[in-house]
Structure formats: C-alpha cells, structure tokens
Amino acid sequence: MVHSAATGASAPDRAATNATARSLAILVTLLLLAFMAALAVQAETRRRDLTADLIARNVAAVEIAAAHADARFAKADAANAAAAALIRRGDAALAGAATEIARAEGVVAAAVVARGGQILAANGRAEPGVIAAAAAATPASGAWAGVAPEARTPLLATARAAGGLTVVSIIDPALLAPAAPARARVFVAAPDGRLLFAMPRAARASEADAAAIIAAAPNPGGATARTADGQVWSIASARAADGAAQIVIAAPAPSPADAILAALVQMAMLAGAPMAAVAVLLLLLRQHARRAARAEAEAARAETQFRLAADGAHAGVFEWRAGADLVTLSEQAAKLIHVNTTQMPLADFVALAVPEDRAALEEEFRAAGRSGAFDAHYRIAHGASLVWLEARGVVVEEDPEAGPLRLMGTIVDVSHRQEAQARVVRLERQLRAAIDSFTGPFALWDARRRLMLWNQAFAQAFDLGPELLRPRVSYEAVALASTARIKRERVDPVDSQIREIELASGEWLQIVERRTGDGGLVTVGLDITPLKRQEQALTRNDKRLRELVQRLEKSEAENKVLAREADDERRKAEDASKAKSAFLANMSHELRTPLNAIIGFSEIMSKELFGPIGNEQYKQYSGDIFSSGNHLLDMINDILDMAKIEAGKINLSPRVLDPMVAIDQAVRLTKRRADEKGLHLMVDAEGVPEIEADHRAVKQMLINLLSNALKFTDNGAIVVRARPTPDGLVLRVIDTGCGIPADQLPRLARPFEQVEATLARNHSGTGLGLALTKSLAEMHGGRLEIQSTVGEGTIVSVYLPAVFGGERTSPGEDADIQEAARTAAE
C-alpha cells in the first residue's frame, strides 16, 4: 500500500516534470525562435545599414572622380579651343598646335584633322581610327566630347571645329579613375556601356560581370546588383564631362554572416536590462557618429572637389590677415610661388616679386582694405626664367564695426597666357610689317565688310587720307572715296573677283578680292603697269608687223620671179662650169703630151746629151725652154687637178698613214729651193699619231703650202709643225715672209685669186695652190685656216680628222698658234 501510494505520487510529479520540461522546451524554443527572428531582423537591418554606408562612400568617391574628370575634360577642351583660335587666325602651324594640345594634363594624344578625315598633324599615342571617328562626330561649327561611336577602339576624346579643320584630343581613361577602395572594382565606361578602363586589371577577366555591373549602375547614385556568380555588389555611379563618360565603383556588399555576427554582438549587449540604457546611449552615439561621419565625408568631398578644381586650374588659395600682417598659403599656392612654407609675413611675400613689381603689389594689398577687392599681376623669378602670377581676392568682414579682418584670394599661374599674348602681339607686329612691306595695295575686311588692316600702298594708290582710313570704316565708304582716283575699270570675264583698273596717274592695278574662312574679305592689288605698257607696245608692233607682212607678201611675188630667173642663170652657169671642168679634165692627156716632149727635148739640148750645140746662146735658150715648160706643166697640173675636183672626177685612196712620211718627202722636194734662197726649213713634230688619209694628197698639200711659203719669204725660216688634236691632226706651215693684209684673207683659197695682183707681180703662179689644198683638206673631212700679220709672217693650218671623212676637228688654240709664230720668228 505504501509502495503503491508512493508510486502514484511519483507519476504526477513525473508528468508535471515532463510538462514543465515540455513547457520549458517550448519556451526555450519560442525564445530561440524569437531570438532568431530578432537576430534575423537585426542582421538584415545591419546589412542594409552597412550596404547604405558603403554605397554612400562609393557615391562620394565617384562624385569626386567625376569632378576630377570634368577638370580633365575642361583642360583638354580649353587646349582645343586655344589651338582652334590660333588655327583660325593662321598664327600657328598644325604640328605646333597638336604639340601644344598634347601638353595639356590628361591628354595622351592630339591631332588636327581635315574635313575629309585626313590627319594633317598628330602628336602622342594617336590612333587614326579614334581620331577620324571623333572628327566625324564633331559638328561643323562647335565642340564634341565622348567616345566616338564608329571607332573600333573605345577611347575618350574631345574635339572642336576650327575653320574647315577639327582639333581632336585623346584622354586616357585611366586618368579619370579614382583610387580603388579595398576589394572594390573601378570601371570607366562609355555612355553606351562599352568598357574603357577597369581597375584592378584582373577585373577585365570577367567581361560579363563588368557589363552586368555597369548596366545595373544608376546614373547617378548608388544601388546593389547581383552578378551571374551570385555575388552581391554595392554599386555607385556618376557621369563625367556632361555625359561623355561614366565612372562606376563596385564593392562586395556585406555578407549575411557579417550581418548575423554584428546582430549577435548587438543582441548580446541588449541581453541584460542594466545594459539597455547603455545600449540606447551607444545606439544614439553610433547614430550621431554616423551623421558626423557623413558630414565629415561630405566636407571632405567638398574640400577634395575644391582642391581638384583649384589644382586643375593651377590655382592656389591665400589669406592675408591685416592685423597680424601674415599671409597664409595653401600647398598649391606655395608650389606656384616656389616656397617651402605656408605662412610668411607680407613683406617676405612681396619680396618674392621682381623689384619692378614690388611697389605695385604692396600698394594693392594696402588699397584692398579701402576698396574691398584685390587684383594684382606681378612676376617672380624662378631660376633663369620669370613666372607671371595673377592674384585676385576679396576682403572678408566678420564684424562691420571692427573693419576688414582678412583678405581671401587665389593665385593663378598665367605665364602661358602671357606668353600667348606676347606671341600674338609679336605675330601681329610681324603681320603688320609684312603688310607694310608689300608694294601693292592690301586691305583686310571683317565679316561685316568693315576695315581691319591696310598698308600705306593702299592709301597712296587711291589717295585716301587718315580722316577716312580708320578701323571699322565700311567697305562702301572706302570704295566711294576711291572712285575719284579710278579712270576706268574692267572686270575679268573668267573671275568676277578680279578687276583691272587704270588710275588717274596712268598706272594700272589688278585688284583681287577673296573671301576668308571667317567670312571676311581680303583685297590685294598688283601693279601691272609694265604689263599694260608692254601690251600696248605689242599691239603697235603687231600692227606694224601686219603692215610689214603685207609689204613682204607683195614683194614675195616679185622675188619669186627674180628667183626663178636667177635660178635659171645659176643653172646655166653651173652647166658651163661643169662643161669647162669636164673639158679640162678630158684634155689632160692632150695638154701634157706636147709639154712633156718640149720639156724632154729642151732638157736633152741643155745638157748636150748628143753633142755640143755649138752656140752658148742656144744652150741658154734650151734651159729657158726647159724651165718655162716645167712651169707651164705645173700650172696645167694645178688647173687640171682643180678641174677634176670641181668635176668630181678625182679619187682619193685613204689608208693608214704616218704623217711623218709625207712631211719628210715634201720637205726633201722643197729643201733645195729653200737652200737656194738661204732659208732655214725646219720640222717640229711631236707625238704625231697615225691617221687615215690619202698619202699623195697629204704630200701635195704640204708641197703647195711650202711652195707658197718659199715664194713669199726672203729671209728667216719656214717651220713645218705637226700636233695631235683630240680627234685628229693639225699640220701648220709657218713662215716669216711679208704677210697678208687682213682684208685680203677672205680672197685666199679661191681659185685663181692672188693677193699681189693689184700691186706688183713679183712671183709667177696660177693662184690655185691654196684652193687645191683647201679642197683636198675638205675631201678628207678637215679644213684649212690662214692667219697672217703684215711684216711678220703667215701661218697656214690644215686640220685632218683621225678617220677619213670624219667630223671636222676643232680649231687650234690661239696659244699654240702664237707659239708657232714665235718659233718661226726665232
């Protein structure tokens, strides 16, 4: 009974215990479920907060990067605009313009492109496809920026049109990307989504993920996206340069494990009631810290944007406190003025300027307190060069009664602008000098046909005074005032912009007017007075020529009649001459046969071969008959030879000849006669080459020349000289005889012509020796020349070619002839 009672008591307890256990289990389960639910809610909240914080940081980073990119694009566009302005004005070469653009910060390449897409000048890492596509996307008058849609290589570019040309700058996308946060990816993309740059470089390995991130990025702002591999990314995006590029930062979003861990920590802190107040305070503190962080991030972003803008503009900030007389500089300002400190007294700041600018700079600081503004331009020395600075600012008044407390301003390096202005002034001065040096009229008009430039020749040509010629005077006013000086005017029928005008002074000008690229007008005048006068002279000459032609045509008929009559007479004379020559040639045997008998018999009688004659007078007569017969035979032989030559019946047999053989034979035949007259007969031959000639003819020419020399030389010497020529041989016979007058030389070498015929015939002869020699020389292809001085002697030269009938040799040098004359005289 006791046992059963005890047993019955324990069963309810066990049941209660089991119920309590079940209840506790259920409670614990419920608590666990509630904890898990709270943990899940807290984890999700935590994850969202972390994601939102990450997105906020990324948004701030991309906005700063966008501002930085805007500054890069602004510099490139400013360089394009400056180069375009220089090109439109014609002040810069195309290659120089491309080089200046490539120097701009962030620009990796620059080019000048013609309207048809031809690249005229390029500098840097230029890609022709990108440059051509950017030039094609640029409007005819304006600017463009972005990624060229037709380019196969997506690169950022800016372009600006300039007078029919396009100036293009290529910007490296890597320079637009901000510093990549830890585990983050940075992308620079085109507006159409094409990837331009990725950082880190490994990010390019997953092109699909990059495309998904760029496509999911809001523009601008932040968002989250999930890639194909399941990774959730926190994405921030911003547009740069008016939409020319998109900058994207993507960082992995906080994982659920990180959120759960953070929630566990938070729940553990909330587990105890005593910690609730602390947790609340911590939560408030955390929220305030988050707001402060956001405010600091915003301030940092604003400061960074200001610094980037200032750095992009090469500007520094300075502050001058009037009470302390102290100048505070930013880092950029310290770099601009080349100092290592950011604070200095005003006196030291002013002392940095060159001595010529210090007084004006200090006065500007002192006057800023009265005017409330500061504007100074001054120079500082940096090494061997001068740096131009522009300082501007305003006075900040915190308490109107206390007066100005400080001066805030900026310092900008304007050296390039000053140099550009100096170049412009120098180019304008050179242009003015060039225009003034132009002798013809010159004038330049703007698009509204108002006068801009002119030279003195323009004013003098149209007699325009300074009261009319002044800048911006209208084209019509100048044209009206010029009509008083214009006598007549003619427009070119081919080009209506070309006119010929005659001034009242009688001068002629050709006025050419052409449009400039900016719609202006250029007027250039050329003096064509000599051409007009020559044209008038040609007109008069043409008239006289036509009259002369008419007279010539009239007399031509008469001349034709006379020519026919003269031709008939000439033909008759030639026929008679040929008949005479043929008769003499055919009569050679009949004439020589009796002469040979006379000579032979007279020689027998004079030598008394058959016994003595018996009378000395007869013997003398027979000698005279012998001499006269020989003389007559020589004359007949000469006449017959000349007749044969004229009749064309003489035949020469050319062969290789040593001229010395003919010279020796001719000298031997004439030496006896020279000895009888007491003359010295000498031979001067050096290096005589062999020639192709007729031996008998060469010997006959030398004998004829030597006979003439012996005939007209009473004392002195006769020299036979032979010299080679570049293409043959020259034979000269030099004597010291009486000489021949200069006016008689043309008569020589003509048949039957003798110089002494009109004076005194001291020598017998037919006058055929030189004529025969001349004819024989010409039959060889050579020629005969005679030089003589009265009272000094004569030089007869025979030029023979190396090849029979070849080209005539060149005349002998005067020095050689003079040397021959001196030798003969000696």
Side-chain angles (χ1 to χ4, degrees), residues 681-756:
L681 184 58
M682 298 179 294
V683 177
D684 179 11
E686 297 179 0
V688 180
E690 292 182 344
I691 61 173
E692 185 181 10
D694 183 275
H695 174 77
R696 186 189 66 81
V698 173
K699 183 178 72 173
Q700 183 65 41
M701 287 187 287
L702 289 172
I703 291 174
N704 291 343
L705 297 180
L706 287 172
S707 298
N708 282 345
L710 289 170
K711 209 181 281 186
F712 297 101
T713 303
D714 296 331
N715 54 58
I718 298 174
V719 178
V720 179
R721 172 169 292 176
R723 289 288 187 270
T725 62
D727 49 3
L729 174 72
V730 57
L731 299 174
R732 289 193 176 95
V733 175
I734 307 164
D735 63 56
T736 57
C738 59
I740 304 170
D743 58 342
Q744 299 294 327
L745 288 177
R747 295 176 51 210
L748 297 180
R750 297 178 186 171
F752 307 104
E753 292 284 351
Q754 289 184 326
V755 175
E756 288 187 323

Side-chain angles (χ1 to χ4, degrees), residues 758-776:
T758 58
L759 299 176
R761 291 299 305 268
N762 298 327
H763 307 281
S764 60
T766 61
L768 293 175
L770 287 177
L772 284 171
T773 302
K774 179 177 180 295
S775 298
L776 291 174

Side-chain angles (χ1 to χ4, degrees), residues 453-608:
L453 289 174
W454 68 93
N455 62 356
Q456 189 64 28
F458 183 81
Q460 293 176 353
F462 300 104
D463 195 18
L464 302 176
E467 68 281 355
L468 177 65
L469 285 182
R470 62 184 185 278
R472 307 182 70 82
V473 67
S474 67
Y475 178 89
E476 290 73 15
V478 175
L480 182 62
S482 302
T483 55
R485 286 276 294 166
I486 298 176
K487 185 176 180 181
R488 55 179 167 171
E489 180 177 351
R490 185 180 69 87
V491 179
D492 192 292
V494 178
D495 190 346
S496 60
Q497 294 182 333
I498 299 178
R499 296 173 295 147
E500 290 183 357
I501 62 174
E502 182 182 9
L503 301 178
S505 60
E507 297 178 348
W508 282 86
L509 293 177
Q510 185 183 64
I511 303 298
V512 181
E513 293 185 337
R514 290 288 184 264
R515 287 287 180 182
T516 61
D518 58 353
L521 187 67
V522 175
T523 301
V524 180
L526 301 175
D527 186 2
I528 59 172
T529 303
L531 295 178
K532 283 294 182 180
R533 291 175 179 172
Q534 186 177 7
E535 181 180 336
Q536 295 172 357
L538 289 175
T539 303
R540 292 192 299 269
N541 292 337
D542 183 63
K543 182 179 179 181
R544 287 196 296 268
L545 181 61
R546 284 196 299 269
E547 294 175 353
L548 180 60
V549 168
Q550 292 175 356
R551 290 197 299 269
L552 290 175
E553 289 175 351
K554 183 178 179 180
S555 62
E556 183 178 359
E558 301 174 358
N559 292 336
K560 287 181 179 179
V561 175
L562 295 177
R564 283 195 298 269
E565 295 177 355
D567 186 64
D568 293 341
E569 296 298 328
R570 178 183 58 79
R571 191 179 298 107
K572 293 177 181 178
E574 289 178 353
D575 293 341
S577 176
K578 289 180 181 179
K580 179 262 298 182
S581 298
F583 171 76
L584 292 176
N586 292 329
M587 291 297 294
S588 61
H589 177 71
E590 285 75 4
L591 292 175
R592 288 175 178 170
T593 299
L595 280 176
N596 287 332
I598 294 171
I599 292 171
F601 291 148
S602 61
E603 184 178 9
I604 292 173
M605 293 173 64
S606 63
K607 292 182 179 181
E608 298 178 339

Side-chain angles (χ1 to χ4, degrees), residues 317-320 326-335 337-345 349 411:
V317 180
F318 74 95
E319 177 185 0
W320 173 56
L326 188 66
V327 178
T328 303
L329 304 170
S330 65
E331 294 181 0
Q332 182 67 16
K335 291 179 181 179
I337 63 175
H338 304 286
V339 296
N340 298 324
T341 180
T342 57
Q343 283 190 343
M344 62 177 62
F349 182 83
I411 300 176

